[in-house]
Amino acid sequence: KRPQVVVLKRSGMMPVLHLTEGQVWHLFLSHIWSSGQDQVAVIKRLMQRLMPDIRIFLDVDDLEDISYLEKYIQQSANILFFLSRGYFRSKNCLREIYASAAQLKPVVLVHEGDKLHGGDTFEVLFEESPIEVRSFIFQSAA
């Protein structure tokens, strides 16, 4: 059985993933360890299975120095915010959010709603988010 991969409907070919100068990662996975680590590891594995050439930053695999968080954001084309319990109370997640906002990075939101897996309601997470970057985070989540 052939492995399943993403192909373009028009050509039937796998998409060519581009990075601009200075970019190393197609996607940066921003999450809080206590309630999102397992989920983002699954997201990374599944995306790599579907798009073998994709480069995804995940701290447990790629973090060399915590002081470089802003640099890792700069080197990433897109940012995924994994919204789970405590995400907006994490100092490092906030650093990633503020760096993403300052650099106007494209953002994807993934919401863990299952409280048994570290989730919370979207409304609670929205209210916990910093007001000064709330519109950046939730700009298209309406």
Side-chain angles (χ1 to χ4, degrees), residues 101-138:
Q103 299 172 39
L104 298 175
K105 293 290 184 174
V107 170
V108 175
L109 300 182
V110 175
H111 168 230
E112 175 60 76
D114 188 339
K115 292 188 179 197
L116 295 175
H117 292 101
D120 214 329
T121 67
F122 192 82
E123 293 76 19
V124 166
L125 293 166
F126 180 86
E127 289 301 319
E128 288 179 352
S129 66
I131 291 172
E132 61 273 12
V133 288
R134 192 173 283 166
S135 64
F136 171 76
I137 298 166
F138 298 101

Side-chain angles (χ1 to χ4, degrees), residues 18-68:
H18 298 281
L19 293 170
T20 61
E21 186 175 334
Q23 291 180 334
V24 177
W25 314 100
H26 296 103
L27 183 64
F28 181 101
L29 299 174
S30 174
H31 65 286
I32 185 169
W33 288 357
S34 61
S35 61
Q37 186 68 44
D38 294 341
Q39 295 94 318
V40 293
V42 170
I43 289 169
K44 179 176 179 175
R45 278 196 311 275
L46 290 174
M47 289 187 72
Q48 287 177 322
R49 190 176 303 154
L50 293 170
M51 295 184 287
D53 295 334
I54 196 166
R55 302 221 37 216
I56 301 174
F57 182 96
L58 180 59
D59 53 6
V60 296
D61 299 331
D62 304 300
L63 182 74
E64 294 176 4
D65 189 322
I66 195 75
S67 69
Y68 296 160

